[in-house]
Amino acid sequence: SQQGEEDPQALSIQEGENATMNCSYKTSINNLQWYRQNSGRGLVHLILIRSNEREKHSGRLRVTLDTSKKSSSLLITASRAADTASYFCATAGNQFYFGTGTSLTVIP
Amino acid sequence: DAGVIQSPRHEVTEMGQEVTLRCKPISGHDYLFWYRQTMMRGLELLIYFNNNVPIDDSGMPEDRFSAKMPNASFSTLKIQPSEPRDSAVYFCASSRQWEGYTFGSGTRLTVV
């Protein structure tokens, strides 16, 4: 069973718009990570946020974590066509799980 | 570092045959994970090792699956006998502590 559930399952936006993806999880975590997967490729690590952090930035990425609600969000600002991919959250702690993923399409 | 190296990249085999997937983790990483990805089930954790010791193999589907890590630089995932429902992309990933996975390119397995 999946520990992390992502919302929405699919998202389509115009280039230049912001994209927000959400992840909910079930058990306590040490940290939460976000990954990108381009079609037919492996997963690439984007950003890690620890359980004692609330927000983290990396370039056009902004991640928030709310441990009381067991949820995280990934914001991609000023999206580009090259951001088209699937995005997964992953939890690390007593157990390791990946979410179901959000398929993002950025239309040029 | 060349990253996590998996072989083969593609494997097509007949039902009933033995399949062995190989993985070389990043040097210095103490965790190694085997994942399987399908459209139906998404990414499933099969097994993970810490310092070459299997920690959790509860995700291994059945006794036909086995994994070993004889040393810090090599791991195998074996399926014997293989079945069509085993068709998937199998990923190996390694990490230092829990500080983010580095994934290999995956092995696309097709069992006919």
Side-chain angles (χ1 to χ4, degrees):
Chain A
S1 63
Q2 295 292 345
Q3 155 83 306
E5 298 290 334
E6 267 125 318
D7 167 52
Q9 289 190 340
L11 180 61
S12 183
I13 59 174
Q14 295 289 331
E15 200 165 34
E17 294 181 339
N18 296 341
T20 300
M21 290 158 265
N22 303 296
C23 167
S24 60
Y25 57 93
K26 296 177 182 175
T27 65
S28 61
I29 61 171
N30 177 281
N31 63 62
L32 186 142
Q33 303 154 33
W34 285 88
Y35 290 81
R36 183 184 70 211
Q37 184 179 34
N38 290 89
S39 180
R41 309 291 293 273
L43 284 82
V44 175
H45 181 259
L46 295 175
I47 193 167
L48 178 153
I49 187 166
R50 302 184 193 285
S51 59
N52 62 354
E53 297 176 311
R54 293 296 168 259
E55 187 171 313
K56 202 161 185 179
H57 296 254
S58 176
R60 293 185 296 113
L61 305 179
R62 173 177 169 253
V63 171
T64 61
L65 179 64
D66 187 335
T67 53
S68 66
K69 295 181 179 178
K70 290 186 167 54
S71 67
S72 173
S73 67
L74 171 68
L75 169 67
I76 304 174
T77 60
S79 63
R80 305 166 182 169
D83 295 329
T84 295
S86 292
Y87 292 81
F88 295 86
C89 66
T91 58
N94 292 330
Q95 296 175 313
F96 299 88
Y97 285 98
F98 272 83
T100 51
T102 293
S103 176
L104 173 66
T105 301
V106 180
I107 303 167
Chain B
D1 202 317
V4 176
I5 300 172
Q6 290 187 247
S7 64
R9 289 295 305 275
H10 302 274
E11 176 81 35
V12 180
T13 190
E14 291 186 346
M15 183 174 63
Q17 296 297 307
E18 177 181 294
V19 176
T20 299
L21 311 181
R22 297 173 175 81
C23 175
K24 182 181 186 319
I26 290 177
S27 177
H29 281 190
D30 54 348
Y31 281 83
L32 184 140
F33 303 81
W34 283 101
Y35 280 91
R36 177 172 70 176
Q37 187 176 35
T38 61
M39 289 294 292
M40 292 295 293
R41 295 200 188 90
L43 274 159
E44 301 174 277
L45 175 63
L46 300 177
I47 185 172
Y48 77 91
F49 296 82
N50 178 218
N51 292 321
N52 314 338
V53 176
I55 302 300
D56 184 355
D57 65 354
S58 60
M60 297 284 261
E62 43 198 277
D63 292 345
R64 298 184 296 106
F65 286 68
S66 63
K68 294 181 180 179
M69 192 166 186
N71 56 62
S73 60
F74 185 65
S75 177
T76 59
L77 177 68
K78 186 176 293 186
I79 308 172
Q80 166 64 16
S82 58
E83 297 182 2
R85 60 190 166 126
D86 301 330
S87 297
V89 180
Y90 290 80
F91 288 105
C92 174
S94 69
S95 74
R96 177 176 290 129
Q97 298 293 310
W98 297 333
E99 301 294 304
Y101 306 89
T102 300
F103 277 80
S105 298
T107 295
R108 182 174 296 276
L109 173 65
T110 303
V111 183
V112 298

